[in-house]
PDB file of all heavy atoms in Angstrom:
ATOM      1  N   LEU A  32     -20.182  -9.191   4.065  1.00 95.00           N
ATOM      2  CA  LEU A  32     -19.442 -10.518   4.254  1.00 95.00           C
ATOM      3  C   LEU A  32     -18.884 -10.490   5.717  1.00 95.00           C
ATOM      4  O   LEU A  32     -18.003  -9.664   5.926  1.00 95.00           O
ATOM      5  CB  LEU A  32     -18.422 -10.747   3.285  1.00 95.00           C
ATOM      6  CG  LEU A  32     -18.812 -10.819   1.695  1.00 95.00           C
ATOM      7  CD1 LEU A  32     -17.582 -11.077   0.946  1.00 95.00           C
ATOM      8  CD2 LEU A  32     -19.878 -11.882   1.503  1.00 95.00           C
ATOM      9  N   LEU A  33     -19.335 -11.261   6.604  1.00 94.00           N
ATOM     10  CA  LEU A  33     -19.052 -11.147   7.904  1.00 94.00           C
ATOM     11  C   LEU A  33     -18.328 -12.425   8.330  1.00 94.00           C
ATOM     12  O   LEU A  33     -18.735 -13.486   8.138  1.00 94.00           O
ATOM     13  CB  LEU A  33     -20.334 -10.949   8.888  1.00 94.00           C
ATOM     14  CG  LEU A  33     -20.130 -10.886  10.382  1.00 94.00           C
ATOM     15  CD1 LEU A  33     -19.279  -9.724  10.762  1.00 94.00           C
ATOM     16  CD2 LEU A  33     -21.465 -10.901  10.976  1.00 94.00           C
ATOM     17  N   GLY A  34     -17.164 -12.308   9.053  1.00 92.00           N
ATOM     18  CA  GLY A  34     -16.583 -13.466   9.479  1.00 92.00           C
ATOM     19  C   GLY A  34     -15.221 -13.152  10.280  1.00 92.00           C
ATOM     20  O   GLY A  34     -14.785 -12.050  10.095  1.00 92.00           O
ATOM     21  N   PRO A  35     -14.691 -14.036  10.861  1.00 91.00           N
ATOM     22  CA  PRO A  35     -13.402 -13.693  11.587  1.00 91.00           C
ATOM     23  C   PRO A  35     -12.286 -13.698  10.515  1.00 91.00           C
ATOM     24  O   PRO A  35     -12.430 -14.021   9.401  1.00 91.00           O
ATOM     25  CB  PRO A  35     -13.171 -14.986  12.443  1.00 91.00           C
ATOM     26  CG  PRO A  35     -14.004 -16.081  11.896  1.00 91.00           C
ATOM     27  CD  PRO A  35     -15.105 -15.351  11.161  1.00 91.00           C
ATOM     28  N   SER A  36     -11.026 -13.224  10.935  1.00 89.00           N
ATOM     29  CA  SER A  36      -9.988 -13.111   9.974  1.00 89.00           C
ATOM     30  C   SER A  36      -9.635 -14.599   9.546  1.00 89.00           C
ATOM     31  O   SER A  36      -9.561 -15.611  10.232  1.00 89.00           O
ATOM     32  CB  SER A  36      -8.813 -12.375  10.476  1.00 89.00           C
ATOM     33  OG  SER A  36      -8.403 -12.986  11.725  1.00 89.00           O
ATOM     34  N   GLY A  37      -9.277 -14.668   8.178  1.00 87.00           N
ATOM     35  CA  GLY A  37      -9.026 -16.070   7.770  1.00 87.00           C
ATOM     36  C   GLY A  37     -10.224 -16.756   7.161  1.00 87.00           C
ATOM     37  O   GLY A  37     -10.010 -18.005   6.885  1.00 87.00           O
ATOM     38  N   SER A  38     -11.384 -16.124   7.296  1.00 91.00           N
ATOM     39  CA  SER A  38     -12.613 -16.839   6.921  1.00 91.00           C
ATOM     40  C   SER A  38     -12.731 -16.805   5.292  1.00 91.00           C
ATOM     41  O   SER A  38     -13.761 -17.383   4.908  1.00 91.00           O
ATOM     42  CB  SER A  38     -13.816 -16.341   7.593  1.00 91.00           C
ATOM     43  OG  SER A  38     -13.944 -14.983   7.270  1.00 91.00           O
ATOM     44  N   GLY A  39     -11.997 -16.046   4.667  1.00 91.00           N
ATOM     45  CA  GLY A  39     -12.082 -16.014   3.158  1.00 91.00           C
ATOM     46  C   GLY A  39     -12.925 -14.872   2.603  1.00 91.00           C
ATOM     47  O   GLY A  39     -13.148 -14.794   1.488  1.00 91.00           O
ATOM     48  N   LYS A  40     -13.366 -14.014   3.486  1.00 93.00           N
ATOM     49  CA  LYS A  40     -14.279 -12.935   3.047  1.00 93.00           C
ATOM     50  C   LYS A  40     -13.502 -11.882   2.059  1.00 93.00           C
ATOM     51  O   LYS A  40     -14.122 -11.610   1.044  1.00 93.00           O
ATOM     52  CB  LYS A  40     -14.894 -12.133   4.214  1.00 93.00           C
ATOM     53  CG  LYS A  40     -14.013 -11.665   5.288  1.00 93.00           C
ATOM     54  CD  LYS A  40     -14.782 -11.411   6.553  1.00 93.00           C
ATOM     55  CE  LYS A  40     -13.955 -10.604   7.593  1.00 93.00           C
ATOM     56  NZ  LYS A  40     -12.657 -11.058   7.899  1.00 93.00           N
ATOM     57  N   THR A  41     -12.255 -11.545   2.344  1.00 93.00           N
ATOM     58  CA  THR A  41     -11.523 -10.625   1.568  1.00 93.00           C
ATOM     59  C   THR A  41     -11.292 -11.356   0.217  1.00 93.00           C
ATOM     60  O   THR A  41     -11.255 -10.652  -0.763  1.00 93.00           O
ATOM     61  CB  THR A  41     -10.322 -10.155   2.303  1.00 93.00           C
ATOM     62  OG1 THR A  41     -10.760  -9.333   3.463  1.00 93.00           O
ATOM     63  CG2 THR A  41      -9.501  -9.295   1.456  1.00 93.00           C
ATOM     64  N   THR A  42     -10.808 -12.557   0.294  1.00 94.00           N
ATOM     65  CA  THR A  42     -10.524 -13.316  -0.859  1.00 94.00           C
ATOM     66  C   THR A  42     -11.786 -13.348  -1.766  1.00 94.00           C
ATOM     67  O   THR A  42     -11.545 -13.174  -3.041  1.00 94.00           O
ATOM     68  CB  THR A  42     -10.089 -14.688  -0.532  1.00 94.00           C
ATOM     69  OG1 THR A  42      -9.037 -14.576   0.362  1.00 94.00           O
ATOM     70  CG2 THR A  42      -9.726 -15.503  -1.793  1.00 94.00           C
ATOM     71  N   LEU A  43     -12.886 -13.548  -1.278  1.00 94.00           N
ATOM     72  CA  LEU A  43     -14.057 -13.607  -2.134  1.00 94.00           C
ATOM     73  C   LEU A  43     -14.300 -12.191  -2.726  1.00 94.00           C
ATOM     74  O   LEU A  43     -14.591 -12.059  -3.954  1.00 94.00           O
ATOM     75  CB  LEU A  43     -15.269 -13.987  -1.184  1.00 94.00           C
ATOM     76  CG  LEU A  43     -16.604 -14.092  -1.967  1.00 94.00           C
ATOM     77  CD1 LEU A  43     -16.575 -15.137  -3.114  1.00 94.00           C
ATOM     78  CD2 LEU A  43     -17.694 -14.535  -0.975  1.00 94.00           C
ATOM     79  N   LEU A  44     -14.002 -11.240  -1.966  1.00 94.00           N
ATOM     80  CA  LEU A  44     -14.276  -9.781  -2.505  1.00 94.00           C
ATOM     81  C   LEU A  44     -13.263  -9.555  -3.673  1.00 94.00           C
ATOM     82  O   LEU A  44     -13.583  -8.894  -4.697  1.00 94.00           O
ATOM     83  CB  LEU A  44     -14.018  -8.768  -1.397  1.00 94.00           C
ATOM     84  CG  LEU A  44     -14.654  -7.440  -1.565  1.00 94.00           C
ATOM     85  CD1 LEU A  44     -16.146  -7.555  -1.390  1.00 94.00           C
ATOM     86  CD2 LEU A  44     -14.135  -6.499  -0.452  1.00 94.00           C
ATOM     87  N   ARG A  45     -11.986  -9.998  -3.535  1.00 94.00           N
ATOM     88  CA  ARG A  45     -10.928  -9.801  -4.544  1.00 94.00           C
ATOM     89  C   ARG A  45     -11.185 -10.600  -5.773  1.00 94.00           C
ATOM     90  O   ARG A  45     -10.993 -10.120  -6.865  1.00 94.00           O
ATOM     91  CB  ARG A  45      -9.597 -10.185  -3.956  1.00 94.00           C
ATOM     92  CG  ARG A  45      -9.173  -9.175  -2.858  1.00 94.00           C
ATOM     93  CD  ARG A  45      -7.796  -9.553  -2.287  1.00 94.00           C
ATOM     94  NE  ARG A  45      -6.912  -9.636  -3.277  1.00 94.00           N
ATOM     95  CZ  ARG A  45      -6.078  -8.575  -3.616  1.00 94.00           C
ATOM     96  NH1 ARG A  45      -6.256  -7.446  -3.078  1.00 94.00           N
ATOM     97  NH2 ARG A  45      -4.991  -8.779  -4.565  1.00 94.00           N
ATOM     98  N   ILE A  46     -11.876 -11.716  -5.577  1.00 94.00           N
ATOM     99  CA  ILE A  46     -12.241 -12.569  -6.820  1.00 94.00           C
ATOM    100  C   ILE A  46     -13.365 -11.812  -7.469  1.00 94.00           C
ATOM    101  O   ILE A  46     -13.379 -11.815  -8.785  1.00 94.00           O
ATOM    102  CB  ILE A  46     -12.518 -14.008  -6.314  1.00 94.00           C
ATOM    103  CG1 ILE A  46     -11.300 -14.689  -5.954  1.00 94.00           C
ATOM    104  CG2 ILE A  46     -13.403 -14.657  -7.458  1.00 94.00           C
ATOM    105  CD1 ILE A  46     -11.509 -16.060  -5.389  1.00 94.00           C
ATOM    106  N   LEU A  47     -14.329 -11.260  -6.822  1.00 93.00           N
ATOM    107  CA  LEU A  47     -15.337 -10.493  -7.382  1.00 93.00           C
ATOM    108  C   LEU A  47     -14.774  -9.349  -8.187  1.00 93.00           C
ATOM    109  O   LEU A  47     -15.295  -9.104  -9.390  1.00 93.00           O
ATOM    110  CB  LEU A  47     -16.355 -10.002  -6.417  1.00 93.00           C
ATOM    111  CG  LEU A  47     -17.454 -10.862  -6.037  1.00 93.00           C
ATOM    112  CD1 LEU A  47     -18.179 -10.218  -4.820  1.00 93.00           C
ATOM    113  CD2 LEU A  47     -18.527 -10.893  -7.092  1.00 93.00           C
ATOM    114  N   ALA A  48     -13.777  -8.695  -7.676  1.00 93.00           N
ATOM    115  CA  ALA A  48     -13.174  -7.529  -8.312  1.00 93.00           C
ATOM    116  C   ALA A  48     -12.244  -7.874  -9.503  1.00 93.00           C
ATOM    117  O   ALA A  48     -11.872  -7.006 -10.326  1.00 93.00           O
ATOM    118  CB  ALA A  48     -12.396  -6.657  -7.350  1.00 93.00           C
ATOM    119  N   GLY A  49     -11.839  -9.101  -9.479  1.00 92.00           N
ATOM    120  CA  GLY A  49     -10.893  -9.599 -10.510  1.00 92.00           C
ATOM    121  C   GLY A  49      -9.485  -9.268 -10.128  1.00 92.00           C
ATOM    122  O   GLY A  49      -8.536  -9.426 -10.985  1.00 92.00           O
ATOM    123  N   LEU A  50      -9.222  -9.194  -8.776  1.00 92.00           N
ATOM    124  CA  LEU A  50      -7.827  -8.900  -8.339  1.00 92.00           C
ATOM    125  C   LEU A  50      -7.191 -10.195  -8.037  1.00 92.00           C
ATOM    126  O   LEU A  50      -6.036 -10.338  -7.925  1.00 92.00           O
ATOM    127  CB  LEU A  50      -7.905  -7.948  -7.177  1.00 92.00           C
ATOM    128  CG  LEU A  50      -8.476  -6.623  -7.399  1.00 92.00           C
ATOM    129  CD1 LEU A  50      -8.541  -5.826  -6.031  1.00 92.00           C
ATOM    130  CD2 LEU A  50      -7.581  -5.710  -8.276  1.00 92.00           C
ATOM    131  N   ASP A  51      -7.999 -11.263  -7.880  1.00 92.00           N
ATOM    132  CA  ASP A  51      -7.512 -12.599  -7.632  1.00 92.00           C
ATOM    133  C   ASP A  51      -8.318 -13.542  -8.592  1.00 92.00           C
ATOM    134  O   ASP A  51      -9.474 -13.263  -8.825  1.00 92.00           O
ATOM    135  CB  ASP A  51      -7.700 -13.109  -6.168  1.00 92.00           C
ATOM    136  CG  ASP A  51      -6.534 -12.675  -5.255  1.00 92.00           C
ATOM    137  OD1 ASP A  51      -5.418 -12.609  -5.807  1.00 92.00           O
ATOM    138  OD2 ASP A  51      -6.683 -12.509  -4.134  1.00 92.00           O
ATOM    139  N   ALA A  52      -7.764 -14.569  -8.912  1.00 92.00           N
ATOM    140  CA  ALA A  52      -8.495 -15.540  -9.867  1.00 92.00           C
ATOM    141  C   ALA A  52      -8.747 -16.823  -9.005  1.00 92.00           C
ATOM    142  O   ALA A  52      -7.913 -17.182  -8.337  1.00 92.00           O
ATOM    143  CB  ALA A  52      -7.601 -15.965 -11.073  1.00 92.00           C
TER     144      ALA A  52
END
Side-chain angles (χ1 to χ4, degrees):
Chain A
L32 300 180
L33 175 67
S36 55
S38 60
K40 51 198 195 309
T41 295
T42 307
L43 183 56
L44 204 68
R45 291 176 59 85
I46 286 172
L47 270 171
L50 299 173
D51 273 328

